[in-house]
Amino acid sequence: AVIVSGDIGRHGCTILLARDDFGIEAEVASDCAPLWGTVRAMTDVTREIHVIRDATRGGVGTVLYEVAEQSGVGIRLDAQAIPVQDQVRGVCGMLGLEPLYLACEGRLVIIAPQEHARELIEVLHDCPYSGEAAIIGEVTDEMAGRVTLMTELGTETILSRPTGELLPRIC
């Protein structure tokens, strides 16, 4: 199971709006949060976790592409399961950005066996910074090295591989 510890893209969206004058007024606050307590809570439940990565550089999409390519697996995401705040979705729509590629300063990407996914979600929901944790996809043997997205229309599309400079360049 592919799990995120909360809604995605807020930190990157916050930085973009603070640095550039797009003429967009949106109340978006960074998701910056300490992660150690969240990790500790998960590992107290199970040590059967394959991946725990923060999504600061390049967002969730970049992390998942790195895992898929390095491990030789496919990753299938469910667009409807990915938590994105309405304000972030709106800003991304206006600027032509994909929330999966915006930095998340206080979010984790977790890959764990399906049999532990529900228990991990329950624990994450009890942690102070991961109340919106969600199972957003699964690891598959299909499309090795690629990340695909099941759209709201029920079609599967290949998520674009990250290219160029990862936005926003924070440091």
Side-chain angles (χ1 to χ4, degrees), residues 37-104:
T38 304
V39 172
R40 180 80 182 258
M42 288 189 306
T43 58
D44 284 348
V45 168
T46 183
R47 299 288 176 138
E48 297 292 319
I49 299 172
H50 302 297
V51 173
I52 300 175
R53 293 263 313 266
D54 74 46
T56 302
R57 182 110 167 97
V60 172
T62 298
V63 168
L64 293 176
Y65 251 105
E66 289 171 356
V67 170
E69 290 173 345
Q70 292 168 2
S71 301
V73 298
I75 296 177
R76 180 179 299 122
L77 302 177
D78 177 358
Q80 292 181 313
I82 300 169
V84 181
Q85 282 189 347
D86 289 341
Q87 300 92 326
V88 172
R89 193 176 307 280
V91 170
C92 286
M94 286 188 263
L95 298 177
L97 300 173
E98 170 56 62
L100 285 164
Y101 290 119
L102 289 180
C104 301

Side-chain angles (χ1 to χ4, degrees), residues 132-156:
E132 293 186 49
I135 299 168
I136 63 167
E138 64 184 350
V139 175
T140 72
D141 291 330
E142 302 166 12
M143 303 286 287
R146 300 228 187 242
V147 178
T148 62
L149 184 69
M150 292 300 294
T151 70
E152 291 85 355
L153 299 174
T155 60
E156 187 173 16

